Amino acid sequence: MRILVTGGCGFIGNHVVRNGLLIPGVESIINLDALTYSGHAENLNDIDDERYTFVYGSINDFDLVSKILNDHQIDVILHLAAESHVDRSINSVQPFIETNIDGTRVLLESVLASKQKGHIVHFVNVSTDEVYGSLGPDDEPFTEDTPLNPKNPYAASKAAADMLVQSFVNTHELSAITTRCSNNYGPRQFPEKLIPLMTLNALNDKMLPIYGDGKQIRDWIHVDDHANGILCAMLALFVGKIETGEVFNFGANNEQQNITIVRSILSQTNANESLMEHVNDRPGHDRRYAMGYEKASRVLGWKPEIDWATGLSETIEWYRINTAWTDSITSGQYKEYIRTQYGHLAK
Ligand code: NAD
Ligand code: DAU
């Protein structure tokens, strides 16, 4: 199997590449990444495997995507490239429209063009629980049948991409599925998201900004469990075990309030509780997410394996030890170096 991962230098993408290389029968993994602020080529620098190739470039570049599909005779695309941060989407929507919607459109059109030449490329669209909106305190977790009700620009852009995928399945009979997952945590997450941000701030004696009352709930899943879910779904699609157009939810049955997580981080880093600061709430802040993943368990044989207490403490320890990673990911010079190194590969 020859795989194209989009956004492989990001948080979840690098774990998908790593775990994908462990699957017997995977002949090659091409990673197409534009190295935006959250993408970091160094996330995969330790991969010493001739089956792995990094291509610097954008999913919005139809010619480049089509060339990769053709040159590497790609069998399946795992599509993770995105603008992924809700706060940024509130401040500036345009990059979310361009990458999440139009970038997905370009990939789908490239897959369609390949199909018209007799080359079938399967497509796994990696989406989010945020497309379902927000739950009340007593609501049942989201299922795959929950109507889409996105409530912030990021979620709306992901829902639009999901709908585009379904429209290409319906109109052009592409082989495509969508996976939707709850909040991921683990190593190599850009420190704008709750867990790495709070951990690094606690370790560096900086304030920990808690939006509103901090009682918002997310269903936290370890990134390795999510990566394995995506790969299980890919294999099932590839061998024809599941139908085109299907949707799979991934979650961990692990609902936690933000404030509880922050207190735990403070305690595990021996930081002072006075570092916590309640700040203005995120506008339109979703109160609660929880993902029902019965379908993924039943059909794909997938379930989350990593226990929250262990996963969280290992994650905190990872950020404590890997200071070079933090320095490097936040350094503009590093980005410039990568652009100079790989710039000639992009159009
Ligand atoms: P991330 O921001 O860490 O990584 C995104 C990656 O995409 C980066 O490497 C970036 O350089 C790349 N990228 C952005 N625009 C690109 C473009 N035009 N062309 C090529 N590459 C581009 O995001 P993440 O947290 O790893 O999320 C990956 C995917 O998973 C996203 O689609 C996101 O919506 C989805 N998701 C994330 C979570 C989560 O908790 N982080 C949960 C559910 C779903
Ligand atoms: O649910 C899946 C989604 O999870 C993914 O689709 C997104 O890509 C990913 O970014 C994440 O979105 P969230 O908005 O839930 O994640 P974030 O880490 O930004 O925030 C988690 C919670 O913590 C949320 O309730 C907001 C709160 N928060 C966040 C930050 C960054 C704070 O209270 N303070 C903060 O500084």
Side-chain angles (χ1 to χ4, degrees):
M1 195 186 306
R2 293 163 296 248
I3 303 171
L4 169 62
V5 174
T6 71
C9 294
F11 167 46
I12 302 170
N14 85 85
H15 292 271
V16 168
V17 170
R18 284 167 194 283
N19 296 3
L21 287 169
L22 300 175
I23 298 176
V26 167
E27 210 172 291
S28 60
I29 298 188
I30 314 302
N31 167 20
L32 173 63
D33 199 297
L35 298 178
T36 66
Y37 77 95
S38 71
H40 195 47
E42 208 173 63
N43 279 340
L44 287 164
N45 262 5
D46 57 318
I47 300 291
D48 181 18
D49 190 322
E50 59 186 18
R51 296 173 301 158
Y52 170 68
T53 306
F54 171 54
V55 178
Y56 172 59
S58 173
I59 58 167
N60 293 74
D61 183 341
F62 177 86
D63 292 344
L64 176 63
V65 173
S66 300
K67 183 168 163 35
I68 294 171
L69 296 186
N70 185 50
D71 287 358
H72 297 273
Q73 282 299 296
I74 295 296
D75 296 305
V76 57
I77 299 178
L78 303 181
H79 174 36
L80 293 103
E83 287 295 328
S84 65
H85 192 37
V86 173
D87 292 329
R88 285 176 189 259
S89 79
I90 293 167
N91 294 330
S92 172
V93 190
Q94 195 277 336
F96 289 75
I97 304 299
E98 185 175 334
T99 303
N100 299 359
I101 305 178
D102 209 39
T104 304
R105 190 265 307 165
V106 169
L107 292 173
L108 290 166
E109 289 189 341
S110 305
V111 170
L112 177 59
S114 293
K115 184 179 182 218
Q116 286 164 344
K117 286 187 250 158
H119 171 196
I120 301 297
V121 180
H122 305 278
F123 191 79
V124 178
N125 172 48
V126 176
S127 186
T128 170
D129 57 3
E130 298 212 9
V131 298
Y132 296 125
S134 184
L135 291 168
D138 301 320
D139 290 343
E140 291 296 317
F142 301 125
T143 71
E144 289 81 0
D145 296 325
T146 303
L148 301 196
N149 186 20
K151 297 206 169 241
N152 60 62
Y154 160 71
S157 70
K158 293 295 290 186
D162 292 7
M163 293 288 89
L164 262 186
V165 171
Q166 293 309 89
S167 77
F168 272 67
V169 167
N170 183 59
T171 312
H172 301 294
E173 297 179 359
L174 292 197
S175 171
I177 57 167
T178 290
T179 64
R180 298 188 177 128
C181 191
S182 57
N183 283 63
N184 288 218
Y185 70 97
R188 302 184 203 86
Q189 184 170 31
F190 191 80
E192 64 184 353
K193 309 282 166 58
L194 183 78
I195 290 180
L197 178 77
M198 296 296 174
T199 303
L200 292 170
N201 283 8
L203 289 167
N204 293 298
D205 211 27
K206 290 189 186 154
M207 300 307 287
L208 276 57
I210 294 165
Y211 298 164
D213 64 5
K215 292 187 178 165
Q216 302 81 8
I217 291 172
R218 300 290 183 263
D219 177 0
W220 292 91
I221 183 171
H222 194 278
V223 64
D224 255 333
D225 280 328
H226 182 197
N228 289 338
I230 293 167
L231 293 165
C232 281
M234 170 195 78
L235 291 170
L237 181 66
F238 191 67
V239 301
K241 188 179 171 195
I242 56 176
E243 304 262 315
T244 181
E246 289 207 47
V247 174
F248 290 91
N249 287 354
F250 300 125
N253 193 20
N254 177 38
E255 293 186 49
Q256 303 286 340
Q257 283 189 346
N258 295 339
I259 192 96
T260 313
I261 298 175
V262 172
R263 287 215 168 91
S264 178
I265 290 171
L266 284 169
S267 145
Q268 295 192 47
T269 52
N270 294 319
N272 198 308
E273 285 234 348
S274 65
L275 288 177
M276 287 198 299
E277 184 180 4
H278 286 268
V279 298
N280 285 345
D281 207 350
R282 175 185 278 174
H285 199 166
D286 286 344
R287 196 70 184 164
R288 173 177 168 238
Y289 306 142
M291 279 300 245
Y293 56 87
E294 183 276 330
K295 182 180 175 190
S297 297
R298 179 171 39 83
V299 178
L300 304 176
W302 171 91
K303 64 177 172 40
E305 304 279 354
I306 300 174
D307 151 74
W308 165 241
T310 314
L312 181 63
S313 56
E314 286 179 0
T315 298
I316 293 168
E317 185 59 8
W318 191 92
Y319 288 102
R320 197 182 66 73
I321 293 171
N322 288 282
T323 49
W325 178 87
T326 320
D327 293 346
S328 152
I329 197 168
T330 47
S331 145
Q333 278 176 353
Y334 175 78
K335 293 267 165 172
E336 197 43 49
Y337 165 76
I338 290 293
R339 289 210 170 85
T340 326
Q341 288 293 307
Y342 295 106
H344 63 287
L345 297 174
K347 205 177 150 196

